Amino acid sequence: MKVEIWSDIACPWCYVGKARFEKALAAFPHRDRVEVVHRSFELDPGRAKGDVQPVITMLTRKYGMSEAQARAGEENLGAQAAAEGLEYRTRDRDHGNTFDMHRLLHLAKERGRQDELIQVLYRANFAEERSVFSEGDERLVELAVAAGLDAEDARKVLADPTAYADDVRADEREAAELGANGVPFFVLDRTYGVSGAQPAEVFTQALTQAWGERSPLQLLDQGDADACGPDGCAVPQS
């Protein structure tokens, strides 16, 4: 079974939702037969690469809330994260464009390190003091290396603005076609969708239902054609 997760590194509920989903997945009896793929979704795609500002400032300007409301929301998110065993800095974080991070995630997918990179990026953005937005490309290279990627591979991607750009845009178009207008958005076997950072119990129910309702294989030919099996291969008789 395949689970696709649309998310953004700047999304705190994606950070929390991933932990809740993984809690359900760890206890799922068929865990070894579930493939998880992370898909791109930018919450702020129009933001220029160099446009970095404090999270509190972004929240007050984008959503029209007061500074007190924004700080209260961050404290609530911190509590939700802590309940999942995650670190979360409720103060002095910043916000910026995540397009380059998504491009690196597509590189990581090709290298089989996608989950490692998204986890490194989440932790760097939400738990560490250093910014993932204001220190330039070398900060992202450092994080890519921490996730097991080659530094030069990461530098080449970041130096070429077209590298994996089409892949990111394709993910975002597909999200729109599936009806996702927010993240995290989980799609199970292209049959069930789960929106938001739901409790682990909801993910458990979704995994169980999706697994149970998979279509059995339909054989098109029931003839006795020659084949190979555990006991060997059929040998033509002269």
Coordinates of all heavy atoms in Angstrom, one line a residue, residues 3-8 11 13-14 17 37-39 41 122 174-188 190 192-197 203:
V3 N 1.2 5.4 0.7 CA 0.7 6.5 1.4 C 1.5 7.7 0.9 O 2.7 7.8 1.0 CB 0.8 6.4 2.9 CG1 0.2 7.7 3.6 CG2 0.0 5.2 3.4
E4 N 0.8 8.7 0.4 CA 1.4 10.0 -0.1 C 1.0 11.1 0.9 O -0.1 11.2 1.2 CB 1.0 10.3 -1.5 CG 1.4 9.3 -2.5 CD 0.6 9.4 -3.8 OE1 -0.6 8.8 -3.8 OE2 1.1 10.0 -4.8
I5 N 2.0 11.9 1.3 CA 1.8 12.9 2.2 C 2.2 14.3 1.6 O 3.4 14.5 1.3 CB 2.6 12.7 3.5 CG1 2.3 11.3 4.1 CG2 2.2 13.8 4.6 CD1 3.2 11.0 5.3
W6 N 1.2 15.1 1.4 CA 1.5 16.5 0.9 C 1.7 17.3 2.1 O 0.9 17.3 3.1 CB 0.3 17.0 0.1 CG 0.4 16.7 -1.4 CD1 0.9 17.5 -2.3 CD2 0.0 15.5 -2.0 NE1 0.8 16.8 -3.6 CE2 0.3 15.6 -3.4 CE3 -0.6 14.3 -1.5 CZ2 0.0 14.6 -4.3 CZ3 -0.9 13.3 -2.4 CH2 -0.6 13.5 -3.8
S7 N 2.8 18.1 2.1 CA 3.2 18.9 3.3 C 4.2 20.0 2.9 O 4.7 20.0 1.8 CB 3.8 18.0 4.4 OG 5.0 17.3 3.9
D8 N 4.4 20.9 3.9 CA 5.4 22.0 3.7 C 6.2 22.1 5.0 O 5.7 21.9 6.1 CB 4.7 23.3 3.5 CG 5.6 24.4 3.0 OD1 6.8 24.1 2.7 OD2 5.1 25.6 2.9
C11 N 5.0 24.3 7.8 CA 3.7 24.0 8.3 C 3.9 23.3 9.7 O 4.3 22.1 9.7 CB 3.0 23.1 7.4 SG 1.5 22.3 8.1
W13 N 1.7 22.1 11.7 CA 0.8 20.9 11.8 C 1.3 19.7 11.0 O 0.9 18.6 11.3 CB -0.7 21.3 11.4 CG -1.3 22.1 12.4 CD1 -1.8 23.4 12.3 CD2 -1.6 21.8 13.8 NE1 -2.3 23.9 13.5 CE2 -2.2 22.9 14.4 CE3 -1.4 20.6 14.6 CZ2 -2.6 22.9 15.8 CZ3 -1.8 20.6 15.9 CH2 -2.4 21.7 16.5
C14 N 2.1 20.0 9.9 CA 2.7 18.9 9.2 C 3.7 18.2 10.0 O 3.9 17.0 10.0 CB 3.3 19.4 7.9 SG 2.2 20.2 6.7
G17 N 1.6 16.3 12.6 CA 0.9 15.3 11.9 C 1.7 14.1 11.5 O 1.3 13.0 11.5
V37 N 5.5 8.2 0.6 CA 6.1 9.2 -0.3 C 5.7 10.6 0.1 O 4.5 10.8 0.4 CB 5.7 8.9 -1.7 CG1 6.3 10.0 -2.7 CG2 6.1 7.5 -2.2
H38 N 6.7 11.5 0.3 CA 6.3 12.9 0.6 C 6.2 13.7 -0.6 O 7.1 13.7 -1.5 CB 7.4 13.4 1.5 CG 7.5 12.7 2.8 ND1 6.6 13.0 3.9 CD2 8.3 11.7 3.3 CE1 6.9 12.2 4.9 NE2 7.9 11.4 4.6
R39 N 5.1 14.5 -0.7 CA 4.9 15.3 -1.9 C 4.9 16.8 -1.5 O 4.8 17.2 -0.3 CB 3.5 15.0 -2.4 CG 3.2 13.6 -2.8 CD 4.0 13.2 -4.1 NE 3.5 12.0 -4.6 CZ 4.2 11.3 -5.6 NH1 5.3 11.8 -6.1 NH2 3.7 10.1 -6.0
F41 N 4.1 20.8 -1.3 CA 3.0 21.8 -1.2 C 3.5 23.0 -0.5 O 4.0 22.9 0.7 CB 1.8 21.2 -0.3 CG 0.6 22.0 -0.3 CD1 -0.5 21.5 -1.0 CD2 0.5 23.2 0.4 CE1 -1.7 22.2 -1.0 CE2 -0.7 23.9 0.4 CZ -1.8 23.4 -0.3
Y122 N 12.4 19.5 9.3 CA 11.4 19.8 10.3 C 12.1 20.2 11.6 O 11.7 21.2 12.2 CB 10.5 18.7 10.5 CG 9.3 18.5 9.6 CD1 8.8 17.3 9.2 CD2 8.6 19.6 9.1 CE1 7.8 17.1 8.3 CE2 7.5 19.5 8.2 CZ 7.1 18.3 7.8 OH 6.0 18.1 7.0
E174 N -1.1 18.3 -8.6 CA -1.8 17.1 -8.3 C -2.6 17.3 -7.0 O -3.7 16.8 -6.8 CB -0.8 16.0 -8.2 CG -1.5 14.6 -8.2 CD -0.5 13.5 -8.5 OE1 0.7 13.7 -8.4 OE2 -1.0 12.4 -8.8
A175 N -2.0 18.0 -6.0 CA -2.7 18.3 -4.8 C -4.0 19.0 -5.0 O -5.1 18.7 -4.5 CB -1.8 19.1 -3.8
A176 N -4.0 20.0 -5.9 CA -5.2 20.8 -6.3 C -6.2 19.9 -6.9 O -7.4 20.0 -6.7 CB -4.8 22.0 -7.2
E177 N -5.8 19.0 -7.8 CA -6.7 18.1 -8.5 C -7.3 17.1 -7.5 O -8.5 16.7 -7.7 CB -5.9 17.3 -9.6 CG -5.5 18.2 -10.7 CD -4.5 17.4 -11.6 OE1 -4.1 16.3 -11.3 OE2 -4.0 18.1 -12.6
L178 N -6.6 16.8 -6.5 CA -7.2 15.9 -5.4 C -8.1 16.6 -4.4 O -8.7 16.0 -3.6 CB -6.1 15.2 -4.7 CG -5.3 14.1 -5.5 CD1 -4.0 13.7 -4.8 CD2 -6.2 12.9 -5.9
G179 N -8.1 17.9 -4.5 CA -9.0 18.7 -3.6 C -8.3 19.1 -2.4 O -9.0 19.6 -1.4
A180 N -7.0 19.1 -2.3 CA -6.2 19.5 -1.1 C -6.1 21.0 -1.1 O -5.4 21.5 -2.0 CB -4.9 18.8 -1.0
N181 N -6.6 21.7 -0.1 CA -6.4 23.1 0.0 C -5.7 23.5 1.2 O -5.6 24.7 1.6 CB -7.8 23.9 -0.1 CG -8.8 23.3 0.9 OD1 -8.4 22.7 1.9 ND2 -10.0 23.6 0.7
G182 N -5.1 22.5 1.9 CA -4.3 22.7 3.1 C -3.5 21.5 3.4 O -3.7 20.4 2.8
V183 N -2.6 21.6 4.3 CA -1.7 20.5 4.6 C -1.5 20.4 6.1 O -1.7 21.4 6.8 CB -0.3 20.6 3.9 CG1 -0.4 20.3 2.4 CG2 0.3 22.0 4.1
P184 N -1.2 19.2 6.6 CA -0.9 17.9 5.9 C -2.1 17.3 5.2 O -3.2 17.4 5.7 CB -0.3 17.0 6.9 CG -1.0 17.4 8.2 CD -1.1 18.9 8.1
F185 N -1.8 16.6 4.1 CA -2.9 15.9 3.4 C -2.4 14.5 3.1 O -1.4 14.4 2.4 CB -3.3 16.7 2.2 CG -4.5 16.1 1.4 CD1 -5.7 16.1 2.0 CD2 -4.3 15.6 0.2 CE1 -6.8 15.6 1.3 CE2 -5.4 15.0 -0.5 CZ -6.7 15.1 0.1
F186 N -3.0 13.5 3.6 CA -2.6 12.1 3.4 C -3.5 11.4 2.4 O -4.7 11.5 2.6 CB -2.6 11.4 4.8 CG -1.8 12.0 5.9 CD1 -2.2 13.1 6.5 CD2 -0.6 11.5 6.2 CE1 -1.5 13.7 7.5 CE2 0.2 12.1 7.2 CZ -0.3 13.2 7.9
V187 N -2.9 10.7 1.5 CA -3.7 9.9 0.5 C -3.2 8.5 0.5 O -2.0 8.2 0.4 CB -3.5 10.5 -0.9 CG1 -4.3 9.6 -1.9 CG2 -4.0 11.9 -1.0
L188 N -4.2 7.6 0.8 CA -3.9 6.2 1.0 C -4.4 5.4 -0.2 O -5.6 5.4 -0.5 CB -4.5 5.6 2.3 CG -4.0 6.1 3.6 CD1 -4.5 7.5 3.9 CD2 -4.4 5.2 4.7
R190 N -4.5 6.1 -3.2 CA -5.4 6.9 -4.1 C -6.9 6.5 -3.9 O -7.7 6.7 -4.8 CB -4.9 6.7 -5.5 CG -3.6 7.3 -5.8 CD -3.7 8.8 -5.6 NE -2.4 9.5 -5.6 CZ -2.0 10.3 -6.6 NH1 -2.8 10.5 -7.6 NH2 -0.8 10.9 -6.6
Y192 N -8.4 6.8 -0.3 CA -8.8 7.5 0.9 C -7.9 8.7 1.2 O -6.7 8.6 1.0 CB -8.8 6.6 2.2 CG -9.8 5.5 2.1 CD1 -9.4 4.2 1.7 CD2 -11.1 5.7 2.4 CE1 -10.3 3.2 1.7 CE2 -12.1 4.7 2.4 CZ -11.7 3.4 2.0 OH -12.6 2.4 1.9
G193 N -8.5 9.8 1.6 CA -7.8 11.0 2.0 C -8.0 11.3 3.4 O -9.2 11.2 3.9
V194 N -7.0 11.8 4.1 CA -7.1 12.2 5.5 C -6.5 13.6 5.5 O -5.3 13.8 5.2 CB -6.4 11.3 6.5 CG1 -6.5 11.9 7.9 CG2 -6.9 9.9 6.4
S195 N -7.2 14.6 5.9 CA -6.8 16.0 6.0 C -6.5 16.4 7.4 O -7.2 16.2 8.3 CB -7.9 16.9 5.4 OG -7.4 18.2 5.4
G196 N -5.3 17.1 7.6 CA -5.0 17.6 8.8 C -4.2 16.7 9.7 O -4.0 15.5 9.5
A197 N -3.7 17.2 10.9 CA -2.9 16.5 11.8 C -3.9 15.8 12.8 O -4.0 16.1 13.9 CB -2.0 17.4 12.6
F203 N -5.5 7.8 12.0 CA -4.6 7.2 11.0 C -4.7 5.7 11.1 O -4.6 5.0 10.1 CB -3.2 7.8 11.2 CG -3.0 9.2 10.9 CD1 -2.6 10.1 11.8 CD2 -3.3 9.6 9.6 CE1 -2.5 11.5 11.5 CE2 -3.1 11.0 9.2 CZ -2.7 11.9 10.2

